[in-house]
């Protein structure tokens, strides 16, 4: 979502005649897009703003510091802005005000939420093969650990005409893969009865000729049978779902205000597997939520075994100022959280290796992005979102290749190209 927002603002700046440079030294305006979901990204922003302030002090000519996104929406970010002399501050709901901000007197601050944010259709980035399209902004859930409802506001679906027009433009520009974005894409259309629901929108988007269609993120509560049916009927979507569970213990789920319980999640997974026999399922898990006992944590490990996730994004609970869990509960010692995370990572590695090995010998379609870190290989991902490496000699540039998987590690599949499906694309 942040990448999409960065692209949106960059397009606005380009339309204004801005030229982009590689280093801070060459720039006269630096705009930092921020994340506030955990403490770590906030620390990164703090140190970056410190460096930028030093640069500003060194400069004789004007040097403008900007900050946008979720952290800018929070008091925590506004305090940083004061401290480090930020000249332009745009909250996550006001990023399209960049032109106005730079046209007037500085400092400029706007932390409002404006529906016009989605009137802008950024042109497709040249030469790329995959792109994001925002479906819905904000979140109507109230998970007690999470800043998002405060930073991105309530759910607002984008007008379907805009979504479809944007996708059409992307397809015409040669984009092969579109990822539909939202904190909770499954609730698309709930705020306007004249809009299609997510299941129908998925079908409509696929009908525009998108070769590969993905979506993030899904909330288990909004993952209806209608959506499962739409996925099963839409070959462009493939059999990949990211469905954050967060915890395996009902007690913790309740304290997180996750609305569902363990059994409900398992039932959704069973239903998904029934409709999508080759399902690749990934999740998000938070370890060390306040009050999580060893027994609660064991239930998360058990749930992992019961589901057999292909992969997981695993986070140590980060107490975020202003969230209900920060106000109400006491954080537990870091060592306990780190130790639990390590045990969970071990579990994830075992499962990822086993699940990835099951792909050895199978044909996949790899969307190759470019050179891998490993010399002699290029990297991409297949229709189930596995990262895949193939020899550079067999896939000379970005494009779509058919490959057979020959080897698997917990993090990667290694393949051999059997056919070039679509060659081309710049970067
Ligand atoms: N809307 C999405 C994801 C939002 S943030 C969803 O509900 O699935 C992405 C992930 O960050 C979450 O799924 C959660 O696992 C993690 N996260 C959010 N707040 C966190 C916090 N305070 N500490 C640790 N992890 C957090
Ligand atoms: Fe945050 Fe929960 Fe909303 Fe996801 S569903 S953005 S975790 S409040």
């Amino acid at each position: 979502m942040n990448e999409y927002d960065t692209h949106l603002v960059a397009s606005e700046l380009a339309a204004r005649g801005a030229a982009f440079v590689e280093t801070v030294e060459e720039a006269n305006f630096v705009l930092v897009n921020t994340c506030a979901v955990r403490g770590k990204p906030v620390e990164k922003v703090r140190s970056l703003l410190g460096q930028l302030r030093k640069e500003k002090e060194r400069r004789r000519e004007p040097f403008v510091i900007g900050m946008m996104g979720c952290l800018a929406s929070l008091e925590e970010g506004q305090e940083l802005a004061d401290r480090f002399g930020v000249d332009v501050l745009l909250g996550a709901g006001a990023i399209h005000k960049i032109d106005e901000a730079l046209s007037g007197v500085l400092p400029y601050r706007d932390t409002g939420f404006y529906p016009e944010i989605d009137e802008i259709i950024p042109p497709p980035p040249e030469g790329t093969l995959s792109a994001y399209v925002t479906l819905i902004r904000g979140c109507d859930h109230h998970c007690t650990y999470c800043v998002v409802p405060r930073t991105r506001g309530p759910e607002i679906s984008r007008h379907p005409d805009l979504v479809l027009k944007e996708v059409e433009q992307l397809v015409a520009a040669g984009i092969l893969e579109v990822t539909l974005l939202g904190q909770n894409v499954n609730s698309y259309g709930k705020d306007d009865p004249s809009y299609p629901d997510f299941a129908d929108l998925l079908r409509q988007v696929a009908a525009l000729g998108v070769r590969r269609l993905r979506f993030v993120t899904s909330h288990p509560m909004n993952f209806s049978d209608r959506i499962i049916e739409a996925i099963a009927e839409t070959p462009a979507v493939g059999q990949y779902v990211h469905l954050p569970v967060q915890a395996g213990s009902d007690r913790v789920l309740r304290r997180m205000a996750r609305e569902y319980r363990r059994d409900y999640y398992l039932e959704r997974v069973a239903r998904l597997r029934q409709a999508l026999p080759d399902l690749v399922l990934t999740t998000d898990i938070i370890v060390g939520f306040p009050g999580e006992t060893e027994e609660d944590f064991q239930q998360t490990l058990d749930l992992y075994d019961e589901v057999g996730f292909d992969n997981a994004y695993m986070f140590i609970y980060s107490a975020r100022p202003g969230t209900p869990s920060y106000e109400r509960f006491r954080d537990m010692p870091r060592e306990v959280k780190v130790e639990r995370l390590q045990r969970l990572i071990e579990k994830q590695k075992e499962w990822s290796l086993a699940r990835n090995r099951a792909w050895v010998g199978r044909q996949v379609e790899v969307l190759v992005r470019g050179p891998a870190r490993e010399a002699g290989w290029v990297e991409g991902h297949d229709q189930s979102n596995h990262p895949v490496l193939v020899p550079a000699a067999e896939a000379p540039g970005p494009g779509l290749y058919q490959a057979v998987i020959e080897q698997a590690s917990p993090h990667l599949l290694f393949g051999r190209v059997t056919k070039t499906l679509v060659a081309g694309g710049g970067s």
Side-chain angles (χ1 to χ4, degrees):
M1 190 161 274
N2 275 6
E3 266 180 53
Y4 179 89
D5 284 351
T6 299
H7 172 58
L8 192 152
V9 174
S11 318
E12 279 279 280
L13 288 168
R16 233 183 160 260
F20 294 90
V21 291
E22 295 292 326
T23 62
V24 169
E25 290 70 35
E26 295 166 86
N28 54 19
F29 175 46
V30 176
L31 179 60
V32 184
N33 193 7
T34 60
C35 173
V37 91
R38 281 174 291 276
K40 229 184 199 169
V42 176
E43 283 316 307
K44 275 192 198 163
V45 172
R46 185 194 302 274
S47 93
L48 193 55
L49 289 178
Q51 288 166 30
L52 292 175
R53 184 178 56 182
K54 277 199 196 120
E55 181 69 21
K56 193 173 179 174
E57 285 162 4
R58 251 201 308 272
R59 292 292 179 98
R60 291 218 183 87
E61 69 281 16
F63 181 74
V64 178
I65 304 176
M67 175 180 180
M68 65 180 253
C70 281
L71 187 57
S73 299
L74 297 176
E75 219 174 279
E76 197 183 359
Q78 287 142 26
E79 279 166 21
L80 287 182
D82 292 339
R83 211 168 115 198
F84 292 104
V86 166
D87 308 290
V88 173
L89 182 132
L90 297 172
I95 56 174
H96 64 300
K97 297 270 184 173
I98 185 68
D99 196 45
E100 200 178 308
L102 295 177
S103 304
V105 185
L106 296 176
Y108 182 97
R109 283 191 182 190
D110 198 334
T111 52
F113 292 94
Y114 303 92
E116 315 87 71
I117 191 168
D118 285 325
E119 297 293 315
I120 305 153
I121 300 176
E126 247 172 74
T128 39
L129 297 176
S130 47
Y132 296 114
V133 172
T134 287
L135 278 195
I136 176 166
R137 290 180 181 271
C139 181
D140 282 351
H141 292 275
H142 303 280
C143 306
T144 51
Y145 51 80
C146 186
V147 292
V148 171
R150 280 194 308 137
T151 62
R152 290 192 178 267
E155 283 172 7
I156 300 175
S157 303
R158 229 177 140 189
H159 197 289
D161 291 353
L162 279 178
V163 171
L164 295 172
K165 203 166 135 200
E166 196 165 306
V167 173
E168 228 167 51
Q169 277 188 5
L170 294 171
V171 173
I175 295 282
L176 297 175
E177 178 184 73
V178 169
T179 303
L180 303 173
L181 290 178
Q183 291 303 331
N184 185 6
V185 283
N186 315 138
S187 27
Y188 180 81
K190 285 223 170 82
D191 47 327
D192 193 322
S194 69
Y195 291 1
D197 68 359
F198 179 67
D200 284 338
L201 189 71
L202 204 59
R203 293 187 179 96
Q204 288 172 20
V205 169
L208 297 174
V210 182
R211 181 104 190 201
R212 195 185 275 184
L213 190 55
R214 297 195 297 157
F215 54 89
V216 277
T217 290
S218 300
H219 191 292
M221 280 323 275
N222 307 103
F223 212 85
S224 63
D225 286 351
R226 272 179 59 76
I227 293 173
I228 298 177
E229 276 158 32
I231 298 171
E233 277 169 32
T234 314
V237 175
Q239 301 199 13
Y240 165 68
V241 172
H242 180 70
L243 195 62
V245 66
Q246 313 299 359
S249 142
D250 282 351
R251 213 178 61 88
V252 174
L253 287 171
R254 199 172 55 240
R255 285 160 72 90
M256 288 177 163
R258 279 297 282 187
E259 296 150 294
Y260 55 87
R261 299 294 170 255
R262 177 191 179 98
D263 282 351
Y264 172 86
Y265 186 88
L266 290 171
E267 185 274 328
R268 287 293 81 193
V269 171
R271 182 78 193 82
L272 269 165
R273 289 231 159 97
Q274 205 179 18
L276 308 163
D278 274 338
L279 180 72
V280 169
L281 183 67
T282 60
T283 197
D284 289 353
I285 296 174
I286 296 176
V287 299
F289 188 76
E292 181 190 74
T293 61
E294 176 59 28
E295 200 186 349
D296 291 322
F297 178 63
Q298 282 297 336
Q299 288 190 37
T300 295
L301 295 176
D302 286 352
L303 178 102
Y304 207 111
D305 284 330
E306 205 163 331
V307 175
F309 290 109
D310 290 82
N311 209 342
Y313 295 94
M314 297 156 288
F315 309 104
I316 281 182
Y317 169 75
S318 171
R320 304 299 301 124
T323 58
S325 65
Y326 175 91
E327 308 291 342
R328 270 191 248 147
F329 306 132
R330 191 170 339 154
D331 204 358
M332 70 171 72
R334 191 169 162 80
E335 314 83 75
V336 180
K337 297 197 275 190
V338 170
E339 193 271 335
R340 284 184 190 165
L341 179 70
Q342 279 160 354
R343 275 191 281 159
L344 185 63
I345 291 174
E346 283 313 306
K347 169 107 18 228
Q348 174 267 321
K349 274 196 202 147
E350 278 168 32
W351 271 106
S352 294
L353 182 61
R355 300 281 303 169
N356 282 352
R357 275 195 178 140
W359 284 82
V360 172
R362 294 183 65 171
Q363 290 277 351
V364 295
E365 280 186 18
V366 190
L367 188 70
V368 168
R369 252 189 322 268
R373 251 183 306 176
E374 295 79 353
W377 296 85
V378 289
E379 67 173 358
H381 53 282
D382 68 9
Q383 61 271 44
S384 328
N385 208 31
H386 294 113
V388 184
L389 301 195
V390 293
E394 295 175 6
L400 192 65
Y401 299 86
Q402 198 174 61
V404 63
I405 300 303
E406 293 195 321
Q407 241 192 76
S409 77
H411 304 294
L412 289 171
L413 298 179
F414 297 85
R416 186 167 44 78
V417 173
T418 48
K419 202 172 172 187
T420 301
L421 299 169
V422 185
S427 54

